[in-house]
Amino acid sequence: MITTYRISGQNFEIPLWSGHIPNYQKTDEQEIRDTTNIVRISKVQKPTIAVYLPAGKNVTRKAVVICPGGGYHILAYDWEGIDIAKWLNANGIAAIVLKYRLPTSRSNITPHKSPLIDAQRAMRMVRHHAGDWNIDPEKVGIMGFSAGGHLASTLGTHFDEELFTSDDPIDAISCRPDFMILAYPVITFSKPFMHRGSMEALLGKDAKASMKDHYSNELQVKANVPPTFIVHSGDDKAVPVENSLVFYQALKEKNVPAEMHIYSFGGHGFSLAIDKGHLQTWTQRCIDWLKSLP
């Protein structure tokens, strides 16, 4: 049974799964946390959501599930997770930081399935608890950074994909995001713009072309993909800006509402872009866009 929480202006962490974890096998692996300069988490064994709720008088009833990046090898948990949640809270938006399983762990049965299974469950959990957390279940979006942006865009394009069987009523709830926010996202696994490290971590070095296409999310856009906000820098040497360009073009072709901001500088992994000149304004552009949604 999932415990019910009703807390305003505070944060707490709960497990994604109350019993059996789909696509999981017990090994001797242990979760690793490196706190050298940012919190980096690897070898996730028990996925969780950390729930951050704004103070009652600030509530907009919107919510965002956040997928930190890290090349599908680690999670930049505070840099692209907790800090982002606090920024969203400051704008009256509930934020849910997803600690998802990484495909490089030996505890996965089928490695590429676990991140998406966890993202689907996170969306369902937020809608399940919407009344307790003062969230509108029809205003729940997904946000991702770098490889977390790949996971977010995978959920936005593969939300109807059935990856496991379940008799838990929570897993019958829709996991389609109401909107997507993608920051310097990995999108394509096609040459020449793919991020090889993320692709090999998710699918392996000998991945079939059909699997690469399946997870090249610009090829998976349909008319029911949610409205999308994209931010990237033109000088990104890790994940080329073309990842965002091809996704925006695919959205445009399917008449999916989309807004994209390309900054001339910033490199990769700029998070909130604190003290990075006008790049820091991307967060206000994102809030403006969120306010424009129905």
Short mmCIF file of all heavy atoms in Angstrom, two decimals, residues 183-234:
data_model
loop_
_atom_site.label_atom_id
_atom_site.label_comp_id
_atom_site.label_asym_id
_atom_site.label_seq_id
_atom_site.Cartn_x
_atom_site.Cartn_y
_atom_site.Cartn_z
N ALA A 183 15.78 20.47 -21.59
CA ALA A 183 16.96 21.33 -21.50
C ALA A 183 18.17 20.57 -22.04
O ALA A 183 18.51 19.50 -21.54
CB ALA A 183 17.20 21.76 -20.06
N TYR A 184 18.79 21.15 -23.08
CA TYR A 184 19.92 20.54 -23.81
C TYR A 184 19.76 19.02 -23.89
O TYR A 184 20.63 18.25 -23.47
CB TYR A 184 21.27 20.93 -23.21
CG TYR A 184 21.37 21.01 -21.69
CD1 TYR A 184 21.73 19.90 -20.92
CD2 TYR A 184 21.12 22.21 -21.02
CE1 TYR A 184 21.84 19.98 -19.55
CE2 TYR A 184 21.21 22.29 -19.64
CZ TYR A 184 21.57 21.17 -18.91
OH TYR A 184 21.68 21.24 -17.53
N PRO A 185 18.62 18.56 -24.47
CA PRO A 185 18.29 17.14 -24.42
C PRO A 185 19.05 16.28 -25.45
O PRO A 185 19.33 16.72 -26.57
CB PRO A 185 16.80 17.13 -24.75
CG PRO A 185 16.63 18.29 -25.69
CD PRO A 185 17.58 19.35 -25.15
N VAL A 186 19.37 15.07 -25.04
CA VAL A 186 19.71 14.02 -26.00
C VAL A 186 18.39 13.60 -26.65
O VAL A 186 17.42 13.30 -25.94
CB VAL A 186 20.36 12.82 -25.30
CG1 VAL A 186 20.56 11.67 -26.29
CG2 VAL A 186 21.68 13.21 -24.65
N ILE A 187 18.33 13.61 -27.96
CA ILE A 187 17.10 13.25 -28.67
C ILE A 187 17.34 12.09 -29.63
O ILE A 187 16.60 11.10 -29.63
CB ILE A 187 16.54 14.44 -29.47
CG1 ILE A 187 16.05 15.55 -28.52
CG2 ILE A 187 15.42 13.98 -30.41
CD1 ILE A 187 14.80 15.19 -27.72
N THR A 188 18.36 12.21 -30.46
CA THR A 188 18.54 11.26 -31.55
C THR A 188 19.66 10.27 -31.28
O THR A 188 20.68 10.62 -30.66
CB THR A 188 18.80 12.00 -32.87
OG1 THR A 188 18.79 11.06 -33.94
CG2 THR A 188 20.13 12.76 -32.84
N PHE A 189 19.48 9.05 -31.74
CA PHE A 189 20.54 8.05 -31.72
C PHE A 189 21.01 7.76 -33.15
O PHE A 189 21.56 6.70 -33.45
CB PHE A 189 20.06 6.76 -31.05
CG PHE A 189 19.93 6.88 -29.54
CD1 PHE A 189 19.20 5.95 -28.83
CD2 PHE A 189 20.54 7.90 -28.84
CE1 PHE A 189 19.08 6.03 -27.44
CE2 PHE A 189 20.43 8.01 -27.46
CZ PHE A 189 19.69 7.07 -26.76
N SER A 190 20.77 8.73 -34.02
CA SER A 190 21.20 8.63 -35.41
C SER A 190 22.43 9.51 -35.61
O SER A 190 22.55 10.59 -35.02
CB SER A 190 20.08 9.09 -36.35
OG SER A 190 18.90 8.33 -36.16
N LYS A 191 23.34 9.06 -36.47
CA LYS A 191 24.51 9.88 -36.80
C LYS A 191 24.05 11.05 -37.66
O LYS A 191 23.06 10.95 -38.36
CB LYS A 191 25.54 9.04 -37.54
CG LYS A 191 26.14 7.92 -36.70
CD LYS A 191 27.15 7.12 -37.52
CE LYS A 191 27.77 6.00 -36.68
NZ LYS A 191 28.73 5.19 -37.46
N PRO A 192 24.76 12.18 -37.65
CA PRO A 192 26.01 12.45 -36.94
C PRO A 192 25.84 13.17 -35.61
O PRO A 192 26.82 13.58 -35.00
CB PRO A 192 26.76 13.35 -37.93
CG PRO A 192 25.64 14.17 -38.52
CD PRO A 192 24.45 13.25 -38.62
N PHE A 193 24.60 13.34 -35.13
CA PHE A 193 24.37 14.21 -33.98
C PHE A 193 24.11 13.45 -32.67
O PHE A 193 23.85 14.06 -31.66
CB PHE A 193 23.19 15.14 -34.28
CG PHE A 193 23.34 15.92 -35.54
CD1 PHE A 193 22.39 15.84 -36.54
CD2 PHE A 193 24.46 16.72 -35.74
CE1 PHE A 193 22.53 16.56 -37.72
CE2 PHE A 193 24.61 17.45 -36.91
CZ PHE A 193 23.65 17.36 -37.91
N MET A 194 24.16 12.13 -32.71
CA MET A 194 23.82 11.38 -31.51
C MET A 194 24.87 11.57 -30.42
O MET A 194 26.05 11.83 -30.70
CB MET A 194 23.68 9.89 -31.82
CG MET A 194 24.99 9.17 -32.12
SD MET A 194 24.71 7.40 -32.35
CE MET A 194 26.37 6.83 -32.68
N HIS A 195 24.44 11.42 -29.18
CA HIS A 195 25.36 11.39 -28.05
C HIS A 195 25.69 9.92 -27.80
O HIS A 195 24.89 9.18 -27.21
CB HIS A 195 24.74 12.02 -26.81
CG HIS A 195 25.69 12.11 -25.66
ND1 HIS A 195 25.57 11.32 -24.53
CD2 HIS A 195 26.78 12.88 -25.47
CE1 HIS A 195 26.54 11.61 -23.69
NE2 HIS A 195 27.29 12.55 -24.23
N ARG A 196 26.85 9.49 -28.26
CA ARG A 196 27.18 8.08 -28.26
C ARG A 196 27.17 7.48 -26.85
O ARG A 196 26.71 6.35 -26.64
CB ARG A 196 28.56 7.84 -28.90
CG ARG A 196 28.95 6.37 -28.99
CD ARG A 196 30.25 6.19 -29.74
NE ARG A 196 30.13 6.62 -31.12
CZ ARG A 196 29.64 5.84 -32.09
NH1 ARG A 196 29.21 4.62 -31.82
NH2 ARG A 196 29.57 6.29 -33.32
N GLY A 197 27.65 8.24 -25.87
CA GLY A 197 27.70 7.71 -24.51
C GLY A 197 26.33 7.34 -23.98
O GLY A 197 26.15 6.28 -23.37
N SER A 198 25.34 8.21 -24.21
CA SER A 198 23.98 7.92 -23.75
C SER A 198 23.39 6.73 -24.51
O SER A 198 22.73 5.87 -23.92
CB SER A 198 23.08 9.15 -23.94
OG SER A 198 23.51 10.22 -23.12
N MET A 199 23.62 6.70 -25.81
CA MET A 199 23.08 5.61 -26.62
C MET A 199 23.65 4.27 -26.19
O MET A 199 22.90 3.29 -25.99
CB MET A 199 23.37 5.87 -28.10
CG MET A 199 22.70 4.88 -29.06
SD MET A 199 23.64 3.33 -29.29
CE MET A 199 25.04 3.95 -30.22
N GLU A 200 24.96 4.20 -25.99
CA GLU A 200 25.58 2.94 -25.62
C GLU A 200 25.20 2.53 -24.20
O GLU A 200 25.07 1.33 -23.91
CB GLU A 200 27.09 3.02 -25.78
CG GLU A 200 27.52 3.13 -27.26
CD GLU A 200 29.02 3.14 -27.44
OE1 GLU A 200 29.75 3.21 -26.42
OE2 GLU A 200 29.47 3.08 -28.61
N ALA A 201 25.03 3.49 -23.31
CA ALA A 201 24.60 3.17 -21.95
C ALA A 201 23.20 2.57 -21.94
O ALA A 201 22.91 1.62 -21.21
CB ALA A 201 24.65 4.41 -21.07
N LEU A 202 22.32 3.13 -22.78
CA LEU A 202 20.92 2.67 -22.79
C LEU A 202 20.75 1.37 -23.58
O LEU A 202 20.04 0.46 -23.13
CB LEU A 202 20.02 3.75 -23.39
CG LEU A 202 18.51 3.48 -23.31
CD1 LEU A 202 18.03 3.50 -21.86
CD2 LEU A 202 17.73 4.52 -24.12
N LEU A 203 21.41 1.28 -24.73
CA LEU A 203 21.14 0.17 -25.65
C LEU A 203 22.30 -0.80 -25.83
O LEU A 203 22.11 -1.87 -26.42
CB LEU A 203 20.74 0.73 -27.02
CG LEU A 203 19.52 1.65 -27.05
CD1 LEU A 203 19.27 2.13 -28.47
CD2 LEU A 203 18.29 0.95 -26.49
N GLY A 204 23.48 -0.42 -25.37
CA GLY A 204 24.65 -1.25 -25.57
C GLY A 204 25.40 -0.87 -26.84
O GLY A 204 24.86 -0.21 -27.73
N LYS A 205 26.66 -1.30 -26.92
CA LYS A 205 27.51 -0.92 -28.05
C LYS A 205 27.10 -1.59 -29.35
O LYS A 205 27.43 -1.10 -30.43
CB LYS A 205 28.98 -1.24 -27.72
CG LYS A 205 29.55 -0.39 -26.61
CD LYS A 205 31.02 -0.68 -26.39
CE LYS A 205 31.59 0.22 -25.29
NZ LYS A 205 33.04 -0.03 -25.05
N ASP A 206 26.41 -2.70 -29.26
CA ASP A 206 26.03 -3.45 -30.46
C ASP A 206 24.53 -3.35 -30.74
O ASP A 206 23.91 -4.29 -31.25
CB ASP A 206 26.44 -4.92 -30.33
CG ASP A 206 27.94 -5.08 -30.14
OD1 ASP A 206 28.69 -4.38 -30.84
OD2 ASP A 206 28.36 -5.89 -29.29
N ALA A 207 23.94 -2.21 -30.41
CA ALA A 207 22.50 -2.03 -30.57
C ALA A 207 22.08 -2.17 -32.03
O ALA A 207 22.77 -1.70 -32.94
CB ALA A 207 22.08 -0.67 -30.04
N LYS A 208 20.93 -2.81 -32.24
CA LYS A 208 20.38 -2.94 -33.58
C LYS A 208 19.86 -1.59 -34.07
O LYS A 208 19.43 -0.75 -33.29
CB LYS A 208 19.25 -3.96 -33.59
CG LYS A 208 19.69 -5.38 -33.27
CD LYS A 208 18.50 -6.32 -33.28
CE LYS A 208 18.92 -7.76 -32.98
NZ LYS A 208 17.76 -8.68 -32.98
N ALA A 209 19.87 -1.42 -35.37
CA ALA A 209 19.39 -0.18 -35.97
C ALA A 209 17.93 0.08 -35.60
O ALA A 209 17.53 1.23 -35.38
CB ALA A 209 19.55 -0.23 -37.49
N SER A 210 17.14 -0.98 -35.49
CA SER A 210 15.72 -0.81 -35.14
C SER A 210 15.55 -0.24 -33.74
O SER A 210 14.64 0.56 -33.50
CB SER A 210 14.99 -2.15 -35.24
OG SER A 210 15.56 -3.11 -34.36
N MET A 211 16.43 -0.63 -32.81
CA MET A 211 16.36 -0.10 -31.45
C MET A 211 16.83 1.35 -31.41
O MET A 211 16.27 2.18 -30.69
CB MET A 211 17.18 -0.95 -30.50
CG MET A 211 16.57 -2.31 -30.20
SD MET A 211 14.94 -2.16 -29.41
CE MET A 211 15.39 -1.46 -27.82
N LYS A 212 17.85 1.67 -32.18
CA LYS A 212 18.31 3.06 -32.26
C LYS A 212 17.20 3.95 -32.80
O LYS A 212 16.98 5.06 -32.30
CB LYS A 212 19.55 3.17 -33.14
CG LYS A 212 20.79 2.51 -32.56
CD LYS A 212 21.97 2.67 -33.51
CE LYS A 212 23.21 1.96 -33.01
NZ LYS A 212 24.35 2.09 -33.95
N ASP A 213 16.49 3.48 -33.81
CA ASP A 213 15.38 4.25 -34.36
C ASP A 213 14.25 4.37 -33.34
O ASP A 213 13.62 5.44 -33.22
CB ASP A 213 14.83 3.58 -35.63
CG ASP A 213 15.75 3.75 -36.83
OD1 ASP A 213 16.72 4.54 -36.74
OD2 ASP A 213 15.52 3.07 -37.85
N HIS A 214 13.99 3.30 -32.60
CA HIS A 214 12.91 3.30 -31.62
C HIS A 214 13.14 4.37 -30.56
O HIS A 214 12.19 5.00 -30.08
CB HIS A 214 12.81 1.92 -30.96
CG HIS A 214 11.66 1.76 -30.03
ND1 HIS A 214 10.35 1.72 -30.46
CD2 HIS A 214 11.60 1.66 -28.67
CE1 HIS A 214 9.54 1.58 -29.42
NE2 HIS A 214 10.27 1.54 -28.32
N TYR A 215 14.40 4.57 -30.19
CA TYR A 215 14.73 5.56 -29.16
C TYR A 215 15.30 6.86 -29.74
O TYR A 215 15.80 7.69 -28.99
CB TYR A 215 15.70 4.96 -28.15
CG TYR A 215 15.02 4.03 -27.16
CD1 TYR A 215 15.14 2.65 -27.28
CD2 TYR A 215 14.25 4.53 -26.13
CE1 TYR A 215 14.52 1.79 -26.38
CE2 TYR A 215 13.62 3.69 -25.22
CZ TYR A 215 13.76 2.32 -25.35
OH TYR A 215 13.13 1.49 -24.46
N SER A 216 15.21 7.03 -31.05
CA SER A 216 15.48 8.34 -31.67
C SER A 216 14.15 9.08 -31.68
O SER A 216 13.31 8.87 -32.56
CB SER A 216 16.03 8.17 -33.09
OG SER A 216 17.34 7.65 -33.06
N ASN A 217 13.95 9.91 -30.69
CA ASN A 217 12.59 10.39 -30.42
C ASN A 217 12.05 11.37 -31.45
O ASN A 217 10.83 11.56 -31.54
CB ASN A 217 12.52 10.96 -29.00
CG ASN A 217 12.69 9.86 -27.97
OD1 ASN A 217 12.27 8.73 -28.19
ND2 ASN A 217 13.33 10.18 -26.85
N GLU A 218 12.92 11.93 -32.26
CA GLU A 218 12.41 12.76 -33.35
C GLU A 218 11.67 11.91 -34.39
O GLU A 218 10.85 12.43 -35.14
CB GLU A 218 13.55 13.55 -34.01
CG GLU A 218 14.39 12.80 -35.03
CD GLU A 218 15.44 11.86 -34.42
OE1 GLU A 218 15.42 11.66 -33.20
OE2 GLU A 218 16.28 11.34 -35.19
N LEU A 219 11.94 10.60 -34.40
CA LEU A 219 11.26 9.70 -35.33
C LEU A 219 9.96 9.16 -34.76
O LEU A 219 9.21 8.48 -35.47
CB LEU A 219 12.18 8.52 -35.68
CG LEU A 219 13.55 8.86 -36.28
CD1 LEU A 219 14.35 7.58 -36.53
CD2 LEU A 219 13.39 9.67 -37.57
N GLN A 220 9.69 9.45 -33.49
CA GLN A 220 8.54 8.87 -32.80
C GLN A 220 7.45 9.90 -32.48
O GLN A 220 6.50 9.59 -31.77
CB GLN A 220 9.00 8.21 -31.50
CG GLN A 220 10.12 7.20 -31.67
CD GLN A 220 9.78 6.08 -32.65
OE1 GLN A 220 8.63 5.66 -32.74
NE2 GLN A 220 10.77 5.62 -33.40
N VAL A 221 7.58 11.10 -33.00
CA VAL A 221 6.60 12.15 -32.71
C VAL A 221 5.29 11.88 -33.44
O VAL A 221 5.28 11.64 -34.65
CB VAL A 221 7.14 13.54 -33.09
CG1 VAL A 221 6.06 14.61 -32.95
CG2 VAL A 221 8.35 13.90 -32.23
N LYS A 222 4.21 11.91 -32.68
CA LYS A 222 2.86 11.78 -33.23
C LYS A 222 2.06 13.00 -32.82
O LYS A 222 2.51 13.81 -32.00
CB LYS A 222 2.19 10.49 -32.72
CG LYS A 222 2.94 9.22 -33.12
CD LYS A 222 2.28 7.97 -32.58
CE LYS A 222 2.52 7.78 -31.09
NZ LYS A 222 3.92 7.46 -30.78
N ALA A 223 0.87 13.14 -33.35
CA ALA A 223 0.06 14.33 -33.09
C ALA A 223 -0.34 14.46 -31.63
O ALA A 223 -0.68 15.56 -31.19
CB ALA A 223 -1.18 14.31 -33.98
N ASN A 224 -0.29 13.35 -30.86
CA ASN A 224 -0.71 13.41 -29.46
C ASN A 224 0.45 13.64 -28.49
O ASN A 224 0.29 13.54 -27.27
CB ASN A 224 -1.45 12.13 -29.07
CG ASN A 224 -0.60 10.86 -29.21
OD1 ASN A 224 0.53 10.92 -29.72
ND2 ASN A 224 -1.16 9.73 -28.80
N VAL A 225 1.62 13.97 -29.02
CA VAL A 225 2.74 14.35 -28.16
C VAL A 225 2.41 15.69 -27.50
O VAL A 225 1.84 16.58 -28.14
CB VAL A 225 4.05 14.42 -28.98
CG1 VAL A 225 5.17 15.10 -28.21
CG2 VAL A 225 4.47 13.02 -29.41
N PRO A 226 2.74 15.86 -26.21
CA PRO A 226 2.34 17.09 -25.51
C PRO A 226 3.11 18.33 -25.94
O PRO A 226 4.22 18.22 -26.49
CB PRO A 226 2.61 16.75 -24.05
CG PRO A 226 3.62 15.67 -24.07
CD PRO A 226 3.34 14.87 -25.31
N PRO A 227 2.54 19.51 -25.70
CA PRO A 227 3.26 20.76 -25.97
C PRO A 227 4.63 20.76 -25.30
O PRO A 227 4.79 20.23 -24.20
CB PRO A 227 2.35 21.83 -25.36
CG PRO A 227 0.99 21.20 -25.33
CD PRO A 227 1.21 19.74 -25.10
N THR A 228 5.60 21.37 -25.97
CA THR A 228 7.00 21.21 -25.56
C THR A 228 7.75 22.54 -25.55
O THR A 228 7.61 23.35 -26.47
CB THR A 228 7.72 20.22 -26.49
OG1 THR A 228 7.03 18.96 -26.48
CG2 THR A 228 9.16 20.00 -26.05
N PHE A 229 8.56 22.73 -24.51
CA PHE A 229 9.49 23.86 -24.40
C PHE A 229 10.90 23.28 -24.46
O PHE A 229 11.22 22.32 -23.76
CB PHE A 229 9.28 24.59 -23.07
CG PHE A 229 10.22 25.73 -22.81
CD1 PHE A 229 9.86 27.03 -23.13
CD2 PHE A 229 11.48 25.51 -22.25
CE1 PHE A 229 10.73 28.09 -22.88
CE2 PHE A 229 12.35 26.56 -22.00
CZ PHE A 229 11.98 27.86 -22.32
N ILE A 230 11.74 23.89 -25.30
CA ILE A 230 13.11 23.39 -25.48
C ILE A 230 14.10 24.54 -25.29
O ILE A 230 13.88 25.65 -25.79
CB ILE A 230 13.30 22.80 -26.89
CG1 ILE A 230 12.24 21.73 -27.20
CG2 ILE A 230 14.71 22.22 -27.05
CD1 ILE A 230 12.23 21.29 -28.66
N VAL A 231 15.20 24.26 -24.59
CA VAL A 231 16.29 25.23 -24.48
C VAL A 231 17.60 24.49 -24.73
O VAL A 231 17.80 23.35 -24.30
CB VAL A 231 16.30 25.93 -23.11
CG1 VAL A 231 16.50 24.95 -21.95
CG2 VAL A 231 17.35 27.03 -23.07
N HIS A 232 18.50 25.15 -25.47
CA HIS A 232 19.79 24.54 -25.83
C HIS A 232 20.77 25.68 -26.12
O HIS A 232 20.35 26.82 -26.36
CB HIS A 232 19.62 23.67 -27.07
CG HIS A 232 20.45 22.43 -27.07
ND1 HIS A 232 19.93 21.16 -27.26
CD2 HIS A 232 21.80 22.24 -26.92
CE1 HIS A 232 20.90 20.26 -27.22
NE2 HIS A 232 22.06 20.90 -27.03
N SER A 233 22.04 25.38 -26.12
CA SER A 233 23.02 26.38 -26.53
C SER A 233 23.67 25.94 -27.84
O SER A 233 23.92 24.75 -28.06
CB SER A 233 24.11 26.58 -25.46
OG SER A 233 24.92 25.42 -25.34
N GLY A 234 23.94 26.91 -28.69
CA GLY A 234 24.50 26.61 -30.00
C GLY A 234 25.91 26.08 -29.95
O GLY A 234 26.37 25.45 -30.90
#
